[in-house]
Amino acid sequence: MKICFIPIDNRPVCYNLAKDICAIDEDIELLIPPKEYLGSLTKTADRKMLIKWISELPNCDVAIISLDTIAYGGLIPSRRSNDTYEEIKSIMNSFRNIIWEKCKNIYAFSSIMRISNNNCNEEEKEYWEDFGKKIFEYSYNMDKNGIAENNSIPENILGDYLNTRNRNFNINRMYLNWQKDKFFNTLIFSKDDCAEYGLNVQEARELEKLGGQTKTGADEIPLSLLARAINKDLNVFIEYTEPEYKDKISNYEDVSIEKSIIGQLNLGGFNVVNTPKNADLILIVNNFIKKQGELVMGWDTEPFDKTLDLPQKPYAIADVRYANGGDNAFVEQLLDKIKTENFYGYSGWNTSANTLGSLLACTKVKYNAKKYNNIAFKKLQIIRFLDDWAYQANVRGQIEKPCDIKTLMKPYEKRLSQVFDSSIKADYAYPWNRKFEVEVCL
């Protein structure tokens, strides 16, 4: 199976993770552009080289495309780019003609521009440093009340922001016209870092009225589309550690954890069943009580305090009690009891949607693998535990800035080497030169 895969950018969870998941099945040939062609925190993707790379591909069975990469140069450039609508439309029409020659089975997504509730311009335009929270409030009130004061936002800044939003929204409407022409097998509009109200939420409703399909999340959606592209039935039973709290809403999302899970399962092409007896796989969700925690932000929640019973059937684990890191109490029990012969994956990174989408891609690939590679699967799981649990939930809070963390990571490496019966030699890097993401190199 040949898969053309265009990531959002070059982060490990967008680039390496896709490669590591596909390596579980040696029958999958993943065609992915060189990392240097893709965007980063400060660099826009080389769109001309990407289109040239696509034009030189062999014919593919499936194409999984992050449309923002081709249109704007990446997810972050989609908020920063000053290209006009006509300039982007011209680029995308060229792309459309070329990709259609290579593959007629296209799974794609485009983001609905997010609105972060802070004064940090690391991933936004420069003026976000002074007016980010005010723009968020303006957006929130415009959607909730239909009117908002501009909160002392200079007219030129508010005008630029609204023009950028309008340009991106019109590009998304253009994709809906492509959908009417049956260009896409699947087209998803992603809602990244959502609140209950906002211009982004309003745009999502409008796209839905026009026939668009929206999903909360972003970074994981190409992996969810990967799962969908593996068109094999897999029946899943969902088992919550806190079933009475499955209606609670995760940080950075606008739907309940239950709706988020069901949405990811539906997008990934899974069937949800009502009893474990009818399931091929049990999805264990370590969900939160009342409010999702986040260790780095100091947002506390009640950790897992029950006895963990693992099923005899194949199972996978979505650890979403905390955002941006695993639940230490839960993971300690899991590593004591894990049964590797029917274990199909662990994930606990970033948002609940991020965790779920990547986990489900792993389970779908492993369950349906034509040429299963157990070493690749163990490698992937060790990376996820070292990143999501060891680093994000523990080591990240012990450091002030990117640094050499080998010594701090050693105890976790030792524990995992025992669990997975593998010697571990790991290096760690900070590809975007910030603490938020670490690259684990085995």
Side-chain angles (χ1 to χ4, degrees), residues 105-358:
N105 206 7
I106 297 171
Y107 298 75
F109 95 100
S110 178
S111 67
I112 299 169
M113 198 170 94
R114 78 169 189 179
I115 311 173
S116 57
N117 187 14
N118 56 52
N119 281 350
C120 176
N121 65 1
E122 186 178 52
E123 297 186 12
E124 316 292 338
K125 288 194 175 183
E126 290 298 321
Y127 52 68
W128 214 263
E129 183 177 20
D130 297 312
F131 300 102
K133 284 190 174 182
K134 290 181 177 181
I135 292 172
F136 176 88
E137 291 168 4
Y138 173 89
S139 163
Y140 188 96
N141 288 322
M142 280 298 293
D143 184 33
K144 183 178 181 180
N145 304 317
I147 190 170
E149 297 178 4
N150 72 4
N151 295 329
S152 305
I153 306 168
E155 287 187 16
N156 64 316
I157 287 175
L158 182 60
D160 177 81
Y161 174 73
L162 294 175
N163 285 338
T164 303
R165 286 211 70 88
N166 188 58
R167 178 203 65 188
N168 289 16
F169 178 67
N170 283 329
I171 290 294
N172 283 338
R173 288 181 62 181
M174 180 184 75
Y175 298 146
L176 284 176
N177 290 329
W178 292 10
Q179 186 179 43
K180 292 175 184 176
D181 296 335
K182 302 189 184 305
F183 177 75
F184 300 108
N185 175 297
T186 302
L187 172 64
I188 299 295
F189 297 107
S190 69
K191 298 184 287 183
D192 184 20
D193 288 355
C194 274
E196 187 178 4
Y197 297 99
L199 294 175
N200 51 344
V201 180
Q202 184 182 91
E203 287 173 9
R205 291 195 301 268
E206 292 181 33
L207 289 169
E208 287 167 357
K209 288 177 184 177
L210 294 169
Q213 183 178 358
T214 68
K215 281 284 182 290
T216 298
D219 297 339
E220 83 292 342
I221 288 182
L223 298 175
S224 301
L225 293 173
L226 170 64
R228 187 179 186 87
I230 299 170
N231 191 21
K232 302 286 183 65
D233 287 341
L234 190 59
N235 296 326
V236 175
F237 175 76
I238 307 167
E239 181 181 300
Y240 297 91
T241 58
E242 309 291 348
E244 63 273 30
Y245 293 100
K246 62 185 180 181
D247 62 331
K248 300 303 178 185
I249 297 176
S250 304
N251 300 341
Y252 315 110
E253 297 189 4
D254 62 341
V255 295
S256 70
I257 186 65
E258 180 180 33
K259 287 183 178 179
S260 184
I261 291 166
I262 297 296
Q264 291 291 336
L265 285 164
N266 289 340
L267 177 57
F270 295 82
N271 303 317
V272 180
V273 296
N274 295 323
T275 63
K277 180 181 178 181
N278 297 327
D280 300 310
L281 179 129
I282 309 297
L283 175 61
I284 300 172
V285 180
N286 182 33
N287 59 313
F288 46 90
I289 296 174
K290 296 181 181 177
K291 178 70 177 172
Q292 189 179 36
E294 188 164 349
L295 296 168
V296 171
M297 299 293 289
W299 300 343
D300 203 11
T301 194
E302 296 179 38
F304 182 76
D305 64 353
K306 301 176 181 178
T307 300
L308 177 62
D309 294 317
L310 296 175
Q312 297 300 314
K313 283 190 170 186
Y315 66 91
I317 294 171
D319 190 359
V320 297
R321 194 170 287 251
Y322 294 84
N324 291 307
D327 175 6
N328 277 306
F330 180 86
V331 173
E332 288 293 343
Q333 279 203 54
L334 172 62
L335 294 180
D336 283 340
K337 300 178 179 182
I338 200 168
K339 303 170 185 177
T340 54
E341 65 274 9
N342 58 343
F343 170 62
Y344 273 65
Y346 169 89
S347 186
W349 64 280
N350 215 341
T351 67
S352 295
N354 291 157
T355 284
L356 288 156
S358 57

Side-chain angles (χ1 to χ4, degrees), residues 76-90:
I76 292 173
S78 72
R79 308 168 201 142
R80 291 175 170 170
S81 167
N82 290 318
D83 290 351
T84 66
Y85 170 81
E86 291 299 330
E87 288 170 335
I88 295 167
K89 181 181 177 181
S90 175

Side-chain angles (χ1 to χ4, degrees), residues 324-442:
N324 291 307
D327 175 6
N328 277 306
F330 180 86
V331 173
E332 288 293 343
Q333 279 203 54
L334 172 62
L335 294 180
D336 283 340
K337 300 178 179 182
I338 200 168
K339 303 170 185 177
T340 54
E341 65 274 9
N342 58 343
F343 170 62
Y344 273 65
Y346 169 89
S347 186
W349 64 280
N350 215 341
T351 67
S352 295
N354 291 157
T355 284
L356 288 156
S358 57
L359 175 67
L360 293 174
C362 171
T363 62
K364 196 84 169 286
V365 170
K366 179 177 179 179
Y367 198 92
N368 294 290
K370 292 181 179 178
K371 296 180 182 178
Y372 176 62
N373 185 327
N374 189 52
I375 292 174
F377 175 73
K378 287 205 292 186
K379 175 188 173 184
L380 171 61
Q381 296 313 307
I382 290 168
I383 289 173
R384 291 271 51 87
F385 277 110
L386 286 175
D387 189 340
D388 306 354
W389 168 58
Y391 178 74
Q392 296 291 349
N394 295 282
V395 171
R396 182 181 168 190
Q398 299 173 39
I399 61 175
E400 294 184 2
K401 59 183 180 181
C403 62
D404 185 352
I405 57 173
K406 278 190 176 182
T407 302
L408 293 172
M409 295 292 287
K410 280 295 179 187
Y412 304 99
E413 293 173 13
K414 183 178 179 181
R415 181 76 187 282
L416 293 170
S417 69
Q418 295 167 348
V419 171
F420 290 99
D421 190 26
S422 301
S423 60
I424 296 174
K425 183 179 180 182
D427 289 310
Y428 304 93
Y430 295 92
W432 282 18
N433 196 32
R434 61 183 188 179
K435 291 199 307 176
F436 187 73
E437 57 268 303
V438 69
E439 182 170 10
V440 181
C441 306
L442 295 186

